[in-house]
Amino acid sequence: MKMFILSLSNLSLPLLLPPPSSSSSSSLQLQRRRRRAFSVQSSSFSSCSNPKVIVTRERGKNGKLINALAKHGINCLELPLIQHKQLPELFRLSSVLSETTFDWIIITSPEAGLVFLEAWKAAGTPNVKVAVVGGGTASIFEEVSDSSKQFLDVAFTPSKATGKVLASELPKHGDRKCRVLYPASAKASNEIEEGLSKRGFEVTRLNTYTTVSVNHVDKMVFEQALAAPVVAVASPSALRAWVNLIPESQRWDNSVACIGETTALAAKRLGLRNVYYPRNPGLEGWVESILEALRVYDQFQKV
């Protein structure tokens, strides 16, 4: 698994992006000043002693990563930083699937996949052909029952797990108009529909959900999180939530392990210094990125 490291450490590790400039540091400070009204208070977040890794997905969706890291003897601390909120266009999705035939359904995240599957079942499991951005998103469809799989064909994954590459590589048959349905997060960029439209696809985008920060975190859990060597994040929204929680008076320069390149670039823009990510988003690569971050941390501790 090829790994990429964005780091300002003194180790001879490959730097794929230039070190944060003064403007990057200002960006981190600005994000903190603009922080949402988080409250740090008692809650039921799970904790463990001396955690090595902080997992930050929505509650109930960190289990696979926690279990994968446990196989390597790594303790995790669950600190959900985001939650998903349904949007009005979600309630149109099942009727659109029932009434319109599409050449492709494009799914670019596990959450978008879960939302789509619920609507697809409500629509009566019509025949659909799905394009996914990467292996992590594709794994969501493995849980479809055998009786329904005959109606759902996960038929395309791009050579690189980004929306831009997906838009440039999605197969188009002949000169006829190819219709695409793109159910997505409201926070997803426009690069997919713009890229496909330039190639002559007709794209229907439905913003079915959005991602918002949690309203509060447990004070003791957050203090443990600040001391942990690695924070694992799966989206730019989680990154922003983490940065917003860090006190302005505190210097935090531990590592961030991102699920993929898009999130890693967001971390760089936020002024974070030690950023790890795999070439292709997904659980396996994410775990390897976390392990690499911990190896670097252990080397520093020995110095």
Side-chain angles (χ1 to χ4, degrees), residues 19 38 103 135 162 190 249-250 297:
F38 286 106
D103 296 281
T162 68
N190 297 323
S249 60
Q250 180 160 348
Y297 172 80

Side-chain angles (χ1 to χ4, degrees), residues 2-266:
K2 191 168 183 179
M3 202 67 51
F4 294 85
I5 306 169
L6 314 181
S7 175
L8 292 183
S9 70
N10 293 324
L11 295 179
S12 56
L13 299 172
L15 280 176
L16 296 191
L17 293 179
S21 63
S22 59
S23 61
S24 295
S25 298
S26 298
S27 173
L28 181 57
Q29 294 171 1
L30 181 61
Q31 289 291 330
R32 289 172 177 173
R33 286 198 294 269
R34 289 178 176 176
R35 63 165 48 88
R36 288 173 175 266
F38 286 106
S39 60
V40 180
Q41 55 186 263
S42 296
S43 73
S44 59
F45 291 139
S46 60
S47 177
C48 67
S49 60
N50 300 319
K52 291 288 188 180
V53 177
I54 310 304
V55 295
T56 60
R57 272 181 160 166
E58 190 176 19
R59 179 159 294 283
K61 297 181 180 178
N62 292 297
K64 289 184 178 179
L65 180 58
I66 290 172
N67 291 336
L69 291 171
K71 294 178 181 178
H72 297 273
I74 296 170
N75 290 329
C76 294
L77 173 67
E78 186 173 25
L79 180 67
L81 294 176
I82 59 170
Q83 54 193 355
H84 295 107
K85 178 182 177 183
Q86 295 179 346
L87 295 178
E89 289 189 343
L90 170 63
F91 306 103
R92 289 183 51 207
L93 182 54
S94 61
S95 61
V96 168
L97 285 167
S98 298
E99 299 165 4
T100 309
T101 299
F102 293 93
D103 296 281
W104 289 102
I105 312 293
I106 293 181
I107 304 296
T108 57
S109 71
E111 183 64 24
L114 292 170
V115 169
F116 166 76
L117 284 175
E118 288 300 315
W120 176 69
K121 293 172 185 175
T125 64
N127 285 304
V128 292
K129 188 163 62 172
V130 177
V132 296
V133 75
T137 301
S139 66
I140 295 298
F141 295 93
E142 295 173 1
E143 299 177 10
V144 175
S145 65
D146 291 337
S147 60
S148 297
K149 280 184 178 178
Q150 60 182 313
F151 305 112
L152 190 151
D153 179 17
V154 180
F156 177 75
T157 304
S159 61
K160 186 176 181 181
T162 68
K164 183 177 181 180
V165 175
L166 187 154
S168 68
E169 295 182 350
L170 188 71
K172 186 173 185 287
H173 305 294
D175 296 326
R176 69 177 181 84
K177 184 167 290 186
C178 192
R179 307 188 71 178
V180 171
L181 176 63
Y182 177 34
S185 164
K187 293 188 175 180
S189 72
N190 297 323
E191 64 183 1
I192 286 180
E193 58 262 44
E194 290 176 355
L196 290 175
S197 296
K198 288 178 182 177
R199 293 181 57 208
F201 287 83
E202 180 181 300
V203 182
T204 299
R205 173 169 174 164
L206 295 179
N207 290 327
T208 56
Y209 72 98
T210 191
T211 304
V212 297
S213 301
V214 296
N215 294 322
H216 65 270
V217 299
D218 181 274
K219 182 177 180 180
M220 292 181 63
V221 173
F222 180 59
E223 289 175 353
Q224 282 185 286
L226 285 173
V230 179
V231 174
V233 289
S235 69
S237 296
L239 275 170
R240 287 189 289 270
W242 173 251
V243 168
N244 287 342
L245 282 171
I246 300 172
E248 291 183 36
S249 60
Q250 180 160 348
R251 177 189 172 116
W252 186 86
D253 57 5
N254 288 346
S255 297
V256 175
C258 301
I259 197 170
E261 182 179 3
T262 300
T263 305
L265 291 172

